[in-house]
Amino acid sequence: MAYIPPSLSQLLAELRIKASISDDTPSLAGLILMSPDEKKEALQMLGLKRVSHKSKLRKRIEQLEKVLSSDSERAFEFYSKMVETSKGEDFTATLKLSELYRKGEGTEADEKKALELEIQAKCSPKYGKKMKKYLIDAVKVDGAYASTYNIRVIFKNEKGEKVEVIERGTQKLPDGIHVQDVIDLSVMPILKKLGWKRKFLWCKHERITASTQLCDIAYQAKSGELVLDCTNVDKIPEKPEPEVSEECIICFEENDGKQYLDCMVKPSNC
């Protein structure tokens, strides 16, 4: 069974590599969960001068990644330990642990615990700093495919009563960006304040999930304003009644009021 060191400093000691570790240095969990390009950039931050040291560290991290991705129980144990030893400051490990609880991997599924950990991670200053940079960089990269939005989130309790409202303000955002990446910095502190144990996001009657992109719900925006509902009950909001025109939009004769745009005049007259 492959040994998994409990921290980045201990991994470096195991490999006999000297490196510069600062407050901005990713945690071991962070390095393991990064994409190859992110790993390359992160390793530069460690100030490693020897190519052999960079290669050795990268290969060891990749080995740990394979072990954890193939054994959910060891992954749960590892990320739990990372969260405990960092006292919740390791937001990457905390988010991964939240995911394991949500999916029931390595432990029993627990939606309430998953949300508690997600709120803890996304309310941390380090997460906030990372996501603000991510949003700025995303516009720079995908500016040609960006639109202007004013996103408003309305929080409603189990009775459907409005309890909080937040506005992100007018922002230029890439159409392909995930909705939750945009709003979570504002939403999570409110959830923490409200003490909610469950969270569901909607855009009118459509559920917003972790994979929902802005382009998926852009058609719901009116004059750039996008209104989302955040609730603590898993209940699909009632669809609003379609607006009934008083006259046919084709021939302008009287509408029957039941078939919406169906004209009372025979089609041949339209």
Side-chain angles (χ1 to χ4, degrees), residues 30-53:
L31 286 169
I32 289 171
L33 295 168
M34 282 179 177
S35 67
D37 287 341
E38 289 174 326
K39 280 188 179 74
K40 184 177 179 181
E41 185 179 340
L43 292 179
Q44 293 289 347
M45 294 173 59
L46 293 172
L48 303 180
K49 296 181 179 180
R50 293 187 183 181
V51 174
S52 60
H53 283 179

mmCIF file with all atom_site columns, all heavy atoms in Angstrom, residues 30-53:
data_model
loop_
_atom_site.group_PDB
_atom_site.id
_atom_site.type_symbol
_atom_site.label_atom_id
_atom_site.label_alt_id
_atom_site.label_comp_id
_atom_site.label_asym_id
_atom_site.label_entity_id
_atom_site.label_seq_id
_atom_site.pdbx_PDB_ins_code
_atom_site.Cartn_x
_atom_site.Cartn_y
_atom_site.Cartn_z
_atom_site.occupancy
_atom_site.B_iso_or_equiv
_atom_site.pdbx_formal_charge
_atom_site.auth_seq_id
_atom_site.auth_comp_id
_atom_site.auth_asym_id
_atom_site.auth_atom_id
_atom_site.pdbx_PDB_model_num
ATOM 1   N N   . GLY A 1 30 ? -4.219 20.474 -2.884  1.00 0.00 ? 30 GLY A N   1
ATOM 2   C CA  . GLY A 1 30 ? -4.391 21.362 -4.026  1.00 0.00 ? 30 GLY A CA  1
ATOM 3   C C   . GLY A 1 30 ? -3.570 20.917 -5.222  1.00 0.00 ? 30 GLY A C   1
ATOM 4   O O   . GLY A 1 30 ? -4.057 20.897 -6.360  1.00 0.00 ? 30 GLY A O   1
ATOM 5   N N   . LEU A 1 31 ? -2.316 20.518 -4.974  1.00 0.00 ? 31 LEU A N   1
ATOM 6   C CA  . LEU A 1 31 ? -1.437 20.063 -6.050  1.00 0.00 ? 31 LEU A CA  1
ATOM 7   C C   . LEU A 1 31 ? -1.959 18.774 -6.688  1.00 0.00 ? 31 LEU A C   1
ATOM 8   O O   . LEU A 1 31 ? -1.931 18.608 -7.900  1.00 0.00 ? 31 LEU A O   1
ATOM 9   C CB  . LEU A 1 31 ? -0.017 19.839 -5.513  1.00 0.00 ? 31 LEU A CB  1
ATOM 10  C CG  . LEU A 1 31 ? 0.800  21.099 -5.213  1.00 0.00 ? 31 LEU A CG  1
ATOM 11  C CD1 . LEU A 1 31 ? 2.061  20.737 -4.435  1.00 0.00 ? 31 LEU A CD1 1
ATOM 12  C CD2 . LEU A 1 31 ? 1.175  21.813 -6.508  1.00 0.00 ? 31 LEU A CD2 1
ATOM 13  N N   . ILE A 1 32 ? -2.452 17.884 -5.855  1.00 0.00 ? 32 ILE A N   1
ATOM 14  C CA  . ILE A 1 32 ? -2.961 16.605 -6.354  1.00 0.00 ? 32 ILE A CA  1
ATOM 15  C C   . ILE A 1 32 ? -4.169 16.806 -7.263  1.00 0.00 ? 32 ILE A C   1
ATOM 16  O O   . ILE A 1 32 ? -4.321 16.132 -8.289  1.00 0.00 ? 32 ILE A O   1
ATOM 17  C CB  . ILE A 1 32 ? -3.340 15.681 -5.173  1.00 0.00 ? 32 ILE A CB  1
ATOM 18  C CG1 . ILE A 1 32 ? -2.061 15.207 -4.457  1.00 0.00 ? 32 ILE A CG1 1
ATOM 19  C CG2 . ILE A 1 32 ? -4.155 14.481 -5.637  1.00 0.00 ? 32 ILE A CG2 1
ATOM 20  C CD1 . ILE A 1 32 ? -2.318 14.473 -3.163  1.00 0.00 ? 32 ILE A CD1 1
ATOM 21  N N   . LEU A 1 33 ? -5.022 17.761 -6.933  1.00 0.00 ? 33 LEU A N   1
ATOM 22  C CA  . LEU A 1 33 ? -6.276 17.959 -7.665  1.00 0.00 ? 33 LEU A CA  1
ATOM 23  C C   . LEU A 1 33 ? -6.157 18.930 -8.838  1.00 0.00 ? 33 LEU A C   1
ATOM 24  O O   . LEU A 1 33 ? -7.122 19.137 -9.575  1.00 0.00 ? 33 LEU A O   1
ATOM 25  C CB  . LEU A 1 33 ? -7.360 18.454 -6.700  1.00 0.00 ? 33 LEU A CB  1
ATOM 26  C CG  . LEU A 1 33 ? -7.760 17.439 -5.615  1.00 0.00 ? 33 LEU A CG  1
ATOM 27  C CD1 . LEU A 1 33 ? -8.616 18.112 -4.552  1.00 0.00 ? 33 LEU A CD1 1
ATOM 28  C CD2 . LEU A 1 33 ? -8.490 16.259 -6.228  1.00 0.00 ? 33 LEU A CD2 1
ATOM 29  N N   . MET A 1 34 ? -4.985 19.515 -9.037  1.00 0.00 ? 34 MET A N   1
ATOM 30  C CA  . MET A 1 34 ? -4.795 20.479 -10.126 1.00 0.00 ? 34 MET A CA  1
ATOM 31  C C   . MET A 1 34 ? -4.706 19.798 -11.488 1.00 0.00 ? 34 MET A C   1
ATOM 32  O O   . MET A 1 34 ? -4.354 18.629 -11.596 1.00 0.00 ? 34 MET A O   1
ATOM 33  C CB  . MET A 1 34 ? -3.498 21.265 -9.904  1.00 0.00 ? 34 MET A CB  1
ATOM 34  C CG  . MET A 1 34 ? -3.584 22.361 -8.879  1.00 0.00 ? 34 MET A CG  1
ATOM 35  S SD  . MET A 1 34 ? -1.977 23.192 -8.709  1.00 0.00 ? 34 MET A SD  1
ATOM 36  C CE  . MET A 1 34 ? -2.409 24.460 -7.515  1.00 0.00 ? 34 MET A CE  1
ATOM 37  N N   . SER A 1 35 ? -4.999 20.586 -12.513 1.00 0.00 ? 35 SER A N   1
ATOM 38  C CA  . SER A 1 35 ? -4.796 20.122 -13.887 1.00 0.00 ? 35 SER A CA  1
ATOM 39  C C   . SER A 1 35 ? -3.291 20.143 -14.170 1.00 0.00 ? 35 SER A C   1
ATOM 40  O O   . SER A 1 35 ? -2.531 20.796 -13.437 1.00 0.00 ? 35 SER A O   1
ATOM 41  C CB  . SER A 1 35 ? -5.519 21.047 -14.871 1.00 0.00 ? 35 SER A CB  1
ATOM 42  O OG  . SER A 1 35 ? -4.900 22.335 -14.866 1.00 0.00 ? 35 SER A OG  1
ATOM 43  N N   . PRO A 1 36 ? -2.818 19.444 -15.211 1.00 0.00 ? 36 PRO A N   1
ATOM 44  C CA  . PRO A 1 36 ? -1.378 19.446 -15.535 1.00 0.00 ? 36 PRO A CA  1
ATOM 45  C C   . PRO A 1 36 ? -0.794 20.851 -15.695 1.00 0.00 ? 36 PRO A C   1
ATOM 46  O O   . PRO A 1 36 ? 0.312  21.120 -15.218 1.00 0.00 ? 36 PRO A O   1
ATOM 47  C CB  . PRO A 1 36 ? -1.329 18.657 -16.849 1.00 0.00 ? 36 PRO A CB  1
ATOM 48  C CG  . PRO A 1 36 ? -2.486 17.714 -16.744 1.00 0.00 ? 36 PRO A CG  1
ATOM 49  C CD  . PRO A 1 36 ? -3.569 18.513 -16.066 1.00 0.00 ? 36 PRO A CD  1
ATOM 50  N N   . ASP A 1 37 ? -1.528 21.745 -16.365 1.00 0.00 ? 37 ASP A N   1
ATOM 51  C CA  . ASP A 1 37 ? -1.029 23.113 -16.558 1.00 0.00 ? 37 ASP A CA  1
ATOM 52  C C   . ASP A 1 37 ? -0.925 23.866 -15.231 1.00 0.00 ? 37 ASP A C   1
ATOM 53  O O   . ASP A 1 37 ? 0.028  24.616 -15.000 1.00 0.00 ? 37 ASP A O   1
ATOM 54  C CB  . ASP A 1 37 ? -1.933 23.887 -17.519 1.00 0.00 ? 37 ASP A CB  1
ATOM 55  C CG  . ASP A 1 37 ? -1.764 23.421 -18.961 1.00 0.00 ? 37 ASP A CG  1
ATOM 56  O OD1 . ASP A 1 37 ? -0.737 22.784 -19.262 1.00 0.00 ? 37 ASP A OD1 1
ATOM 57  O OD2 . ASP A 1 37 ? -2.666 23.696 -19.782 1.00 0.00 ? 37 ASP A OD2 1
ATOM 58  N N   . GLU A 1 38 ? -1.923 23.662 -14.360 1.00 0.00 ? 38 GLU A N   1
ATOM 59  C CA  . GLU A 1 38 ? -1.901 24.311 -13.046 1.00 0.00 ? 38 GLU A CA  1
ATOM 60  C C   . GLU A 1 38 ? -0.749 23.778 -12.197 1.00 0.00 ? 38 GLU A C   1
ATOM 61  O O   . GLU A 1 38 ? -0.100 24.545 -11.475 1.00 0.00 ? 38 GLU A O   1
ATOM 62  C CB  . GLU A 1 38 ? -3.229 24.085 -12.328 1.00 0.00 ? 38 GLU A CB  1
ATOM 63  C CG  . GLU A 1 38 ? -4.397 24.845 -12.921 1.00 0.00 ? 38 GLU A CG  1
ATOM 64  C CD  . GLU A 1 38 ? -5.722 24.485 -12.277 1.00 0.00 ? 38 GLU A CD  1
ATOM 65  O OE1 . GLU A 1 38 ? -5.899 23.307 -11.887 1.00 0.00 ? 38 GLU A OE1 1
ATOM 66  O OE2 . GLU A 1 38 ? -6.592 25.371 -12.162 1.00 0.00 ? 38 GLU A OE2 1
ATOM 67  N N   . LYS A 1 39 ? -0.501 22.476 -12.294 1.00 0.00 ? 39 LYS A N   1
ATOM 68  C CA  . LYS A 1 39 ? 0.623  21.869 -11.550 1.00 0.00 ? 39 LYS A CA  1
ATOM 69  C C   . LYS A 1 39 ? 1.942  22.498 -11.977 1.00 0.00 ? 39 LYS A C   1
ATOM 70  O O   . LYS A 1 39 ? 2.794  22.823 -11.140 1.00 0.00 ? 39 LYS A O   1
ATOM 71  C CB  . LYS A 1 39 ? 0.670  20.361 -11.799 1.00 0.00 ? 39 LYS A CB  1
ATOM 72  C CG  . LYS A 1 39 ? -0.308 19.527 -10.996 1.00 0.00 ? 39 LYS A CG  1
ATOM 73  C CD  . LYS A 1 39 ? -0.014 18.046 -11.203 1.00 0.00 ? 39 LYS A CD  1
ATOM 74  C CE  . LYS A 1 39 ? -0.950 17.168 -10.386 1.00 0.00 ? 39 LYS A CE  1
ATOM 75  N NZ  . LYS A 1 39 ? -2.294 17.115 -10.927 1.00 0.00 ? 39 LYS A NZ  1
ATOM 76  N N   . LYS A 1 40 ? 2.114  22.653 -13.281 1.00 0.00 ? 40 LYS A N   1
ATOM 77  C CA  . LYS A 1 40 ? 3.353  23.216 -13.816 1.00 0.00 ? 40 LYS A CA  1
ATOM 78  C C   . LYS A 1 40 ? 3.599  24.619 -13.258 1.00 0.00 ? 40 LYS A C   1
ATOM 79  O O   . LYS A 1 40 ? 4.713  24.961 -12.833 1.00 0.00 ? 40 LYS A O   1
ATOM 80  C CB  . LYS A 1 40 ? 3.278  23.261 -15.341 1.00 0.00 ? 40 LYS A CB  1
ATOM 81  C CG  . LYS A 1 40 ? 4.559  23.731 -16.014 1.00 0.00 ? 40 LYS A CG  1
ATOM 82  C CD  . LYS A 1 40 ? 4.432  23.669 -17.522 1.00 0.00 ? 40 LYS A CD  1
ATOM 83  C CE  . LYS A 1 40 ? 5.701  24.149 -18.207 1.00 0.00 ? 40 LYS A CE  1
ATOM 84  N NZ  . LYS A 1 40 ? 5.576  24.109 -19.696 1.00 0.00 ? 40 LYS A NZ  1
ATOM 85  N N   . GLU A 1 41 ? 2.546  25.427 -13.231 1.00 0.00 ? 41 GLU A N   1
ATOM 86  C CA  . GLU A 1 41 ? 2.654  26.792 -12.709 1.00 0.00 ? 41 GLU A CA  1
ATOM 87  C C   . GLU A 1 41 ? 2.925  26.788 -11.209 1.00 0.00 ? 41 GLU A C   1
ATOM 88  O O   . GLU A 1 41 ? 3.734  27.568 -10.706 1.00 0.00 ? 41 GLU A O   1
ATOM 89  C CB  . GLU A 1 41 ? 1.364  27.553 -13.000 1.00 0.00 ? 41 GLU A CB  1
ATOM 90  C CG  . GLU A 1 41 ? 1.408  29.015 -12.597 1.00 0.00 ? 41 GLU A CG  1
ATOM 91  C CD  . GLU A 1 41 ? 0.123  29.749 -12.932 1.00 0.00 ? 41 GLU A CD  1
ATOM 92  O OE1 . GLU A 1 41 ? -0.646 29.268 -13.788 1.00 0.00 ? 41 GLU A OE1 1
ATOM 93  O OE2 . GLU A 1 41 ? -0.120 30.810 -12.314 1.00 0.00 ? 41 GLU A OE2 1
ATOM 94  N N   . ALA A 1 42 ? 2.253  25.869 -10.481 1.00 0.00 ? 42 ALA A N   1
ATOM 95  C CA  . ALA A 1 42 ? 2.411  25.793 -9.025  1.00 0.00 ? 42 ALA A CA  1
ATOM 96  C C   . ALA A 1 42 ? 3.825  25.368 -8.640  1.00 0.00 ? 42 ALA A C   1
ATOM 97  O O   . ALA A 1 42 ? 4.393  25.873 -7.661  1.00 0.00 ? 42 ALA A O   1
ATOM 98  C CB  . ALA A 1 42 ? 1.396  24.826 -8.448  1.00 0.00 ? 42 ALA A CB  1
ATOM 99  N N   . LEU A 1 43 ? 4.385  24.436 -9.398  1.00 0.00 ? 43 LEU A N   1
ATOM 100 C CA  . LEU A 1 43 ? 5.738  23.964 -9.090  1.00 0.00 ? 43 LEU A CA  1
ATOM 101 C C   . LEU A 1 43 ? 6.771  25.076 -9.289  1.00 0.00 ? 43 LEU A C   1
ATOM 102 O O   . LEU A 1 43 ? 7.808  25.110 -8.607  1.00 0.00 ? 43 LEU A O   1
ATOM 103 C CB  . LEU A 1 43 ? 6.091  22.752 -9.959  1.00 0.00 ? 43 LEU A CB  1
ATOM 104 C CG  . LEU A 1 43 ? 5.294  21.471 -9.655  1.00 0.00 ? 43 LEU A CG  1
ATOM 105 C CD1 . LEU A 1 43 ? 5.711  20.345 -10.592 1.00 0.00 ? 43 LEU A CD1 1
ATOM 106 C CD2 . LEU A 1 43 ? 5.494  21.044 -8.206  1.00 0.00 ? 43 LEU A CD2 1
ATOM 107 N N   . GLN A 1 44 ? 6.470  25.998 -10.192 1.00 0.00 ? 44 GLN A N   1
ATOM 108 C CA  . GLN A 1 44 ? 7.365  27.149 -10.391 1.00 0.00 ? 44 GLN A CA  1
ATOM 109 C C   . GLN A 1 44 ? 7.417  28.010 -9.130  1.00 0.00 ? 44 GLN A C   1
ATOM 110 O O   . GLN A 1 44 ? 8.451  28.582 -8.787  1.00 0.00 ? 44 GLN A O   1
ATOM 111 C CB  . GLN A 1 44 ? 6.880  28.003 -11.577 1.00 0.00 ? 44 GLN A CB  1
ATOM 112 C CG  . GLN A 1 44 ? 6.970  27.319 -12.928 1.00 0.00 ? 44 GLN A CG  1
ATOM 113 C CD  . GLN A 1 44 ? 8.397  27.158 -13.424 1.00 0.00 ? 44 GLN A CD  1
ATOM 114 O OE1 . GLN A 1 44 ? 9.338  27.749 -12.893 1.00 0.00 ? 44 GLN A OE1 1
ATOM 115 N NE2 . GLN A 1 44 ? 8.574  26.321 -14.421 1.00 0.00 ? 44 GLN A NE2 1
ATOM 116 N N   . MET A 1 45 ? 6.278  28.077 -8.424  1.00 0.00 ? 45 MET A N   1
ATOM 117 C CA  . MET A 1 45 ? 6.192  28.885 -7.209  1.00 0.00 ? 45 MET A CA  1
ATOM 118 C C   . MET A 1 45 ? 7.071  28.342 -6.085  1.00 0.00 ? 45 MET A C   1
ATOM 119 O O   . MET A 1 45 ? 7.432  29.067 -5.161  1.00 0.00 ? 45 MET A O   1
ATOM 120 C CB  . MET A 1 45 ? 4.740  28.943 -6.719  1.00 0.00 ? 45 MET A CB  1
ATOM 121 C CG  . MET A 1 45 ? 3.796  29.667 -7.650  1.00 0.00 ? 45 MET A CG  1
ATOM 122 S SD  . MET A 1 45 ? 2.064  29.505 -7.111  1.00 0.00 ? 45 MET A SD  1
ATOM 123 C CE  . MET A 1 45 ? 2.145  30.235 -5.474  1.00 0.00 ? 45 MET A CE  1
ATOM 124 N N   . LEU A 1 46 ? 7.413  27.059 -6.165  1.00 0.00 ? 46 LEU A N   1
ATOM 125 C CA  . LEU A 1 46 ? 8.221  26.445 -5.112  1.00 0.00 ? 46 LEU A CA  1
ATOM 126 C C   . LEU A 1 46 ? 9.697  26.802 -5.233  1.00 0.00 ? 46 LEU A C   1
ATOM 127 O O   . LEU A 1 46 ? 10.490 26.477 -4.344  1.00 0.00 ? 46 LEU A O   1
ATOM 128 C CB  . LEU A 1 46 ? 8.051  24.919 -5.143  1.00 0.00 ? 46 LEU A CB  1
ATOM 129 C CG  . LEU A 1 46 ? 6.656  24.404 -4.776  1.00 0.00 ? 46 LEU A CG  1
ATOM 130 C CD1 . LEU A 1 46 ? 6.563  22.904 -5.028  1.00 0.00 ? 46 LEU A CD1 1
ATOM 131 C CD2 . LEU A 1 46 ? 6.348  24.710 -3.311  1.00 0.00 ? 46 LEU A CD2 1
ATOM 132 N N   . GLY A 1 47 ? 10.061 27.441 -6.321  1.00 0.00 ? 47 GLY A N   1
ATOM 133 C CA  . GLY A 1 47 ? 11.441 27.885 -6.492  1.00 0.00 ? 47 GLY A CA  1
ATOM 134 C C   . GLY A 1 47 ? 12.436 26.764 -6.680  1.00 0.00 ? 47 GLY A C   1
ATOM 135 O O   . GLY A 1 47 ? 13.613 26.883 -6.283  1.00 0.00 ? 47 GLY A O   1
ATOM 136 N N   . LEU A 1 48 ? 11.987 25.654 -7.270  1.00 0.00 ? 48 LEU A N   1
ATOM 137 C CA  . LEU A 1 48 ? 12.888 24.520 -7.502  1.00 0.00 ? 48 LEU A CA  1
ATOM 138 C C   . LEU A 1 48 ? 13.824 24.836 -8.663  1.00 0.00 ? 48 LEU A C   1
ATOM 139 O O   . LEU A 1 48 ? 13.381 25.174 -9.756  1.00 0.00 ? 48 LEU A O   1
ATOM 140 C CB  . LEU A 1 48 ? 12.086 23.251 -7.813  1.00 0.00 ? 48 LEU A CB  1
ATOM 141 C CG  . LEU A 1 48 ? 11.058 22.827 -6.756  1.00 0.00 ? 48 LEU A CG  1
ATOM 142 C CD1 . LEU A 1 48 ? 10.343 21.562 -7.196  1.00 0.00 ? 48 LEU A CD1 1
ATOM 143 C CD2 . LEU A 1 48 ? 11.731 22.619 -5.418  1.00 0.00 ? 48 LEU A CD2 1
ATOM 144 N N   . LYS A 1 49 ? 15.117 24.722 -8.425  1.00 0.00 ? 49 LYS A N   1
ATOM 145 C CA  . LYS A 1 49 ? 16.091 25.094 -9.450  1.00 0.00 ? 49 LYS A CA  1
ATOM 146 C C   . LYS A 1 49 ? 16.513 23.908 -10.318 1.00 0.00 ? 49 LYS A C   1
ATOM 147 O O   . LYS A 1 49 ? 16.850 24.073 -11.477 1.00 0.00 ? 49 LYS A O   1
ATOM 148 C CB  . LYS A 1 49 ? 17.319 25.726 -8.790  1.00 0.00 ? 49 LYS A CB  1
ATOM 149 C CG  . LYS A 1 49 ? 16.988 27.044 -8.080  1.00 0.00 ? 49 LYS A CG  1
ATOM 150 C CD  . LYS A 1 49 ? 18.215 27.670 -7.444  1.00 0.00 ? 49 LYS A CD  1
ATOM 151 C CE  . LYS A 1 49 ? 17.865 28.994 -6.757  1.00 0.00 ? 49 LYS A CE  1
ATOM 152 N NZ  . LYS A 1 49 ? 19.042 29.622 -6.123  1.00 0.00 ? 49 LYS A NZ  1
ATOM 153 N N   . ARG A 1 50 ? 16.517 22.738 -9.725  1.00 0.00 ? 50 ARG A N   1
ATOM 154 C CA  . ARG A 1 50 ? 16.927 21.552 -10.491 1.00 0.00 ? 50 ARG A CA  1
ATOM 155 C C   . ARG A 1 50 ? 15.737 20.937 -11.243 1.00 0.00 ? 50 ARG A C   1
ATOM 156 O O   . ARG A 1 50 ? 14.685 20.727 -10.670 1.00 0.00 ? 50 ARG A O   1
ATOM 157 C CB  . ARG A 1 50 ? 17.520 20.493 -9.560  1.00 0.00 ? 50 ARG A CB  1
ATOM 158 C CG  . ARG A 1 50 ? 18.836 20.902 -8.918  1.00 0.00 ? 50 ARG A CG  1
ATOM 159 C CD  . ARG A 1 50 ? 19.400 19.714 -8.158  1.00 0.00 ? 50 ARG A CD  1
ATOM 160 N NE  . ARG A 1 50 ? 20.615 20.061 -7.456  1.00 0.00 ? 50 ARG A NE  1
ATOM 161 C CZ  . ARG A 1 50 ? 21.328 19.207 -6.724  1.00 0.00 ? 50 ARG A CZ  1
ATOM 162 N NH1 . ARG A 1 50 ? 20.901 17.956 -6.596  1.00 0.00 ? 50 ARG A NH1 1
ATOM 163 N NH2 . ARG A 1 50 ? 22.428 19.600 -6.112  1.00 0.00 ? 50 ARG A NH2 1
ATOM 164 N N   . VAL A 1 51 ? 15.988 20.659 -12.516 1.00 0.00 ? 51 VAL A N   1
ATOM 165 C CA  . VAL A 1 51 ? 14.946 20.040 -13.334 1.00 0.00 ? 51 VAL A CA  1
ATOM 166 C C   . VAL A 1 51 ? 14.606 18.662 -12.773 1.00 0.00 ? 51 VAL A C   1
ATOM 167 O O   . VAL A 1 51 ? 13.449 18.243 -12.784 1.00 0.00 ? 51 VAL A O   1
ATOM 168 C CB  . VAL A 1 51 ? 15.418 19.908 -14.798 1.00 0.00 ? 51 VAL A CB  1
ATOM 169 C CG1 . VAL A 1 51 ? 14.391 19.136 -15.625 1.00 0.00 ? 51 VAL A CG1 1
ATOM 170 C CG2 . VAL A 1 51 ? 15.668 21.283 -15.404 1.00 0.00 ? 51 VAL A CG2 1
ATOM 171 N N   . SER A 1 52 ? 15.610 17.968 -12.265 1.00 0.00 ? 52 SER A N   1
ATOM 172 C CA  . SER A 1 52 ? 15.398 16.629 -11.711 1.00 0.00 ? 52 SER A CA  1
ATOM 173 C C   . SER A 1 52 ? 14.467 16.669 -10.501 1.00 0.00 ? 52 SER A C   1
ATOM 174 O O   . SER A 1 52 ? 13.663 15.765 -10.287 1.00 0.00 ? 52 SER A O   1
ATOM 175 C CB  . SER A 1 52 ? 16.730 15.989 -11.317 1.00 0.00 ? 52 SER A CB  1
ATOM 176 O OG  . SER A 1 52 ? 17.396 16.783 -10.339 1.00 0.00 ? 52 SER A OG  1
ATOM 177 N N   . HIS A 1 53 ? 14.571 17.741 -9.696  1.00 0.00 ? 53 HIS A N   1
ATOM 178 C CA  . HIS A 1 53 ? 13.711 17.893 -8.521  1.00 0.00 ? 53 HIS A CA  1
ATOM 179 C C   . HIS A 1 53 ? 12.256 18.133 -8.953  1.00 0.00 ? 53 HIS A C   1
ATOM 180 O O   . HIS A 1 53 ? 11.317 17.569 -8.369  1.00 0.00 ? 53 HIS A O   1
ATOM 181 C CB  . HIS A 1 53 ? 14.200 19.033 -7.639  1.00 0.00 ? 53 HIS A CB  1
ATOM 182 C CG  . HIS A 1 53 ? 15.400 18.667 -6.831  1.00 0.00 ? 53 HIS A CG  1
ATOM 183 N ND1 . HIS A 1 53 ? 16.031 19.554 -5.976  1.00 0.00 ? 53 HIS A ND1 1
ATOM 184 C CD2 . HIS A 1 53 ? 16.094 17.499 -6.738  1.00 0.00 ? 53 HIS A CD2 1
ATOM 185 C CE1 . HIS A 1 53 ? 17.049 18.955 -5.391  1.00 0.00 ? 53 HIS A CE1 1
ATOM 186 N NE2 . HIS A 1 53 ? 17.116 17.714 -5.843  1.00 0.00 ? 53 HIS A NE2 1
#
